[in-house]
Amino acid sequence: MVLTEINSDQFRDMVRAATHRMGKNAEFVNKLNVFPVPDGDTGTNMNLTIESGAKAVNENLSESVGDLTESLSKGMLMGARGNSGVITSQLFRGFYKATEGKDTLTAQDLANAFANGVTTAYKAVMKPVEGTILTVARVAAEEGKNKANETDDVSEVMRAVVDGAKKALKTTPDLLPVLKQVGVVDSGGQGLVFIYQGFLEGVLGEKGNDDYQLDEGEMDELINAAHHQAESAQVQLATSDIKNGYCTEIMVDLTADVPNKEEFNLEQFREHLSNLGDSLLAVSDGEVAKVHVHTEHPGDVFTYGQKFGQLGKIKIDNMRIQHETILENNEEQEESVDFAVIAVASGHGIRELFKSEGVNRIISGGQTMNPSTKDIMDAITKSGAKKAIILPNNGNIIMAAKQAAEVSEIPVGIVPTKTISQGLTAMLSFDPDASVEENVEAMSEDLDTVKSGEVTKAIRDTKIDDIEVKKDDYLGIVDGTIKIDNPDLVDTTVSMIEKMLDEDSEIITIMYGSDATRAEANEVVKKLKATHDDLEFEVHDGGQPVYYFLVSVE
C-alpha cells in the first residue's frame, strides 16, 4: 500500500522509534570511539539529545506535523550535548524550518526537510569534515531527494534515506584515515543511521526486535529524575553526607538471549537492587526493565541486570561532584555580577583554581560528561550578569556553548578553550572593564602557546599512528595526540612532559586527579628536576575524574 503523507500520529511514532533505537544502541556507538581512552560518549550525547527532543514532542498535543517538528527542534537544541549532539540538533533545526506550518508531510516535503537539515548543519560547523555524521546526513538526503522524484510514497523516501545513510557510513573510513587505521566507522554517523532507522520503523508502523515503550509517566519519572533537581534540599547537606555517590541508570532488554539467563521477577528484582543502594526506581513492561538507583558500586548494578537480559542504556553521574557544584553555585547566586565568566570543569581542586582566577560560576562537566545547551543556558541565567564569557575547556563542548550563546538574552562570548590548561591561561587576560568581543580576542590570543598534556588509561588494544596501545597501559596525550604508552604511571607522565618541553619552557603545572596521589606527582617532579633544574614546577590537587594527571607547559 502506498503511503502518500505523514500525519502527526505517524510522526510521533517516528520520533518514539528513533529515540528507542538510539537509546538501545548508545553504548555500541560509544565503543566506536577512535581513541582507546575512556571518553567515548558520542552515543550517550546523541541519545540524551534526541531524548530531550522526544520529551518535547510528547508534551505537544498538536495535530500539525509542523508544530511537532518545532518542538522536536527546540527540545533537541536545549538538550544538545557534545559536537555529535549539536550537529544532530542542527539537522533537525533545518528539518523543522522546511516543515514549518505543514499539517502533514508528503514525500517531497520529507525529502526537502532532510535536505534542509543538511544545509543547516553544514553552516553550523566552522570547518566541515567529510567522513563524519555530516557525510552520512548529506548522502542520505541526496538519496531521499532522488527517490522523491520517482515516487509519492513517503515510506519509500524514508527507506531511501536509510539506505543512503548506511551506504555513506561504510565510506567514512575511506574519507577519514584515522577511522580506517583503527578499523571503525564514524560514531556520529552510526548514531544517525540508528535514528533514521527508527524513523523508518515509525513510518512503517513496525515494532522492531529492539523497539520498546514504557508507560509515559514512568519514562518521564526516570528521565526527569526530579529529586536530583531539588537543589533547595541538597544545599542543606554536606557533600560528605552522601552515602551512595553514583546516580546509576540502566535499561535491560528482557527479551534478549544471554548466557545462564535467569527468570525475571520485578518484585525480587527491586528487592535485590534495594540492597545495593537507595533512591531506587525500577519499572518494567515485561520486555524491558528500567532502573535508577544511587549506589557506591555501579558495577554491581550492571552485573545484576545482565542476569536477566542485555544492557541497553547505561548512565552514571558522580553526585558528589554535582553536589559540590550545587553548593558553590548556590553561594554564587546570592550576588549577581555585571560580567560573568563561566567555566566547565570537574574536580574540586580545578574548580578552586578557576574561582581563584576570577571565574564566577562553574558548570560540572568535561570529558565523558558534556553539559547540554540548557545546562550552559541555566548557568548564564543564574549568574544574573549583563554579559558573559564561557570557557568550555573541552573541544566537544564548544559547539553546545555556541548554541547557548546564540539563544541567550545577554551578550555571550565563547573563548574556544579545549583543555583545562588553556582555560586557566585564558583567565589571565580577562578584563571586566572590556567588552565581550575584546575579551574573547584577548583571552584567545595566547591559547596556542599553552601545551596541554593528559594521562589516562587505555581501554583496549589498538594502534594509533606509530604507537602500539595496550589495554590498561597508561597513555600520555599531548594536545590531543597520543605520544606515550607505558604500563607505569609515573614513567608515562615523565615521558609525556619530556615531549612537551622546548627551549622556551619555563613553568610546568601538574594537576593530579582523583585516581592519582600527591606522592606520585612529587615523584614525577623529582625525576624531571634531575635533568631540568632550570624549570619551575607547580603541583595542585585537581581531583578530576578520568585523567590521572593534567599538565600544562608554558
Side-chain angles (χ1 to χ4, degrees):
M1 187 178 88
V2 174
L3 182 66
T4 58
E5 64 179 18
I6 295 171
N7 61 28
S8 59
D9 289 339
Q10 290 162 330
F11 186 75
R12 286 189 176 90
D13 288 342
M14 291 167 65
V15 173
R16 289 187 186 118
T19 304
H20 295 157
R21 184 172 275 274
M22 186 65 244
K24 183 72 178 178
N25 293 284
E27 281 305 305
F28 172 75
V29 173
N30 284 343
K31 290 175 183 177
L32 293 175
N33 181 40
V34 171
F35 269 18
V37 299
D39 68 348
D41 49 12
T42 297
T44 301
N45 286 339
M46 293 183 74
N47 182 39
L48 292 173
T49 300
I50 195 168
E51 274 189 355
S52 180
K55 186 173 184 299
V57 170
N58 285 342
E59 293 170 350
N60 188 335
L61 302 180
S62 174
E63 296 182 1
S64 164
V65 174
D67 290 346
L68 298 182
T69 61
E70 181 179 14
S71 292
L72 179 66
S73 171
K74 288 182 177 179
M76 292 179 76
L77 172 74
M78 298 310 292
R81 298 170 189 263
N83 293 341
S84 56
V86 172
I87 292 172
T88 304
S89 75
Q90 289 297 314
L91 287 170
F92 286 97
R93 177 175 172 78
F95 191 101
Y96 150 60
K97 288 295 184 182
T99 57
E100 190 173 11
K102 295 183 182 293
D103 291 333
T104 60
L105 301 184
T106 65
Q108 197 63 245
D109 291 335
L110 185 63
N112 290 340
F114 282 117
N116 197 56
V118 171
T119 300
T120 302
Y122 267 84
K123 287 179 179 177
V125 179
M126 188 74 70
K127 295 179 180 179
V129 176
E130 295 301 332
T132 65
I133 184 175
L134 292 172
T135 302
V136 174
R138 177 175 55 76
V139 175
E142 290 169 356
E143 293 296 318
K145 289 280 282 185
N146 291 338
K147 182 59 67 173
N149 291 331
E150 301 172 1
T151 180
D152 293 332
D153 191 335
V154 292
S155 63
E156 288 303 309
V157 171
M158 193 63 240
R159 194 184 304 277
V161 168
V162 171
D163 290 343
K166 289 180 179 178
K167 180 175 73 173
L169 182 65
K170 291 179 181 178
T171 70
T172 56
D174 297 321
L175 297 171
L176 272 182
V178 68
L179 295 176
K180 176 166 281 190
Q181 184 179 11
V182 178
V184 296
V185 295
D186 179 67
S187 56
Q190 177 66 82
L192 191 64
V193 167
F194 286 133
I195 291 173
Y196 286 175
Q197 285 178 322
F199 269 22
L200 178 59
E201 289 172 6
V203 169
L204 298 176
E206 294 179 348
K207 185 173 183 179
N209 292 332
D210 60 357
D211 191 22
Y212 49 83
Q213 184 174 356
L214 293 176
D215 174 81
E216 189 171 320
E218 293 171 338
M219 183 173 72
D220 282 346
E221 179 181 31
L222 292 176
I223 290 175
N224 289 332
H227 59 284
H228 283 313
Q229 324 238 333
E231 296 187 3
S232 59
Q234 292 204 41
V235 298
Q236 305 301 321
L237 300 172
T239 303
S240 58
D241 291 336
I242 297 177
K243 180 182 177 182
N244 294 300
Y246 296 94
C247 175
T248 304
E249 294 181 24
I250 63 170
M251 294 183 99
V252 185
D253 180 0
L254 303 175
T255 67
D257 290 327
V258 295
N260 304 313
K261 184 175 180 179
E262 297 184 12
E263 184 176 352
F264 180 79
N265 178 285
L266 183 58
E267 290 306 314
Q268 293 176 3
F269 189 68
R270 283 175 174 155
E271 183 177 354
H272 183 89
L273 289 171
S274 68
N275 294 321
L276 299 181
D278 55 34
S279 298
L280 173 66
L281 290 169
V283 294
S284 174
D285 66 352
E287 295 183 2
V288 65
K290 191 166 185 177
V291 175
H292 167 283
V293 64
H294 295 175
T295 179
E296 275 295 277
H297 306 286
D300 292 348
V301 178
F302 301 159
T303 300
Y304 184 64
Q306 287 175 312
K307 293 177 181 287
F308 306 98
Q310 184 176 1
L311 297 189
K313 174 183 173 183
I314 295 174
K315 185 171 180 282
I316 307 172
D317 289 320
N318 187 323
M319 295 193 301
R320 294 185 177 94
I321 291 176
Q322 291 177 334
H323 185 260
E324 288 172 354
T325 302
I326 289 172
L327 294 181
E328 290 170 358
N329 288 345
N330 186 70
E331 293 172 1
E332 295 157 6
Q333 217 168 318
E334 297 298 322
E335 184 178 349
S336 297
V337 293
D338 180 65
F339 201 151
V341 180
I342 301 165
V344 181
S346 288
H348 57 87
I350 290 176
R351 290 198 296 271
E352 287 302 317
L353 283 171
F354 273 113
K355 288 170 68 176
S356 70
E357 289 201 10
V359 169
N360 309 95
R361 182 167 288 273
I362 309 289
I363 302 172
S364 182
Q367 209 65 31
T368 74
M369 38 185 191
N370 303 149
S372 68
T373 302
K374 185 178 184 299
D375 292 334
I376 300 170
M377 272 295 303
D378 287 346
I380 295 170
T381 301
K382 289 179 179 179
S383 72
K386 297 176 182 177
K387 49 189 174 181
I389 291 285
I390 308 291
L391 302 177
N393 299 328
N394 185 295
N396 207 33
I397 299 174
I398 292 174
M399 289 188 72
K402 288 181 176 178
Q403 278 203 163
E406 288 174 6
V407 298
S408 174
E409 295 180 356
I410 65 171
V412 176
I414 309 299
V415 180
T417 52
K418 295 182 179 179
T419 65
I420 293 296
S421 300
Q422 285 188 341
L424 293 169
T425 296
M427 280 306 298
L428 299 176
S429 301
F430 175 65
D431 180 358
D433 296 322
S435 68
V436 169
E437 295 75 17
E438 289 169 338
N439 269 300
V440 169
E441 182 178 357
M443 296 171 75
S444 303
E445 192 171 320
D446 295 327
L447 295 185
D448 292 339
T449 67
V450 183
K451 293 181 181 178
S452 302
E454 303 160 335
V455 178
T456 189
K457 186 175 280 191
I459 59 172
R460 67 171 185 270
D461 293 345
T462 190
K463 184 176 181 180
I464 299 288
D465 296 328
D466 295 326
I467 306 293
E468 291 284 350
V469 174
K470 299 297 182 184
K471 184 177 183 292
D472 293 330
D473 275 3
Y474 295 99
L475 302 178
I477 305 171
V478 179
D479 291 329
T481 301
I482 297 175
K483 295 291 187 180
I484 303 294
D485 174 279
N486 191 301
D488 184 85
L489 175 59
V490 172
D491 288 347
T492 299
T493 310
V494 171
S495 298
M496 179 191 75
I497 294 174
E498 290 278 9
K499 289 186 175 295
M500 297 170 69
L501 298 175
D502 59 32
E503 58 184 17
D504 297 323
S505 301
E506 296 178 354
I507 301 174
I508 299 175
T509 303
I510 300 174
M511 293 166 276
Y512 60 93
S514 57
D515 294 320
T517 65
R518 180 172 286 274
E520 289 168 326
N522 289 339
E523 183 66 19
V524 170
V525 172
K526 180 181 177 181
K527 287 192 172 187
L528 287 167
K529 277 186 173 180
T531 52
H532 301 282
D533 58 2
D534 57 327
L535 295 175
E536 182 180 336
F537 293 88
E538 292 184 10
V539 176
H540 300 279
D541 177 5
Q544 71 274 3
V546 182
Y547 295 110
Y548 294 81
F549 293 106
L550 294 176
V551 178
S552 68
V553 174
E554 300 175 75

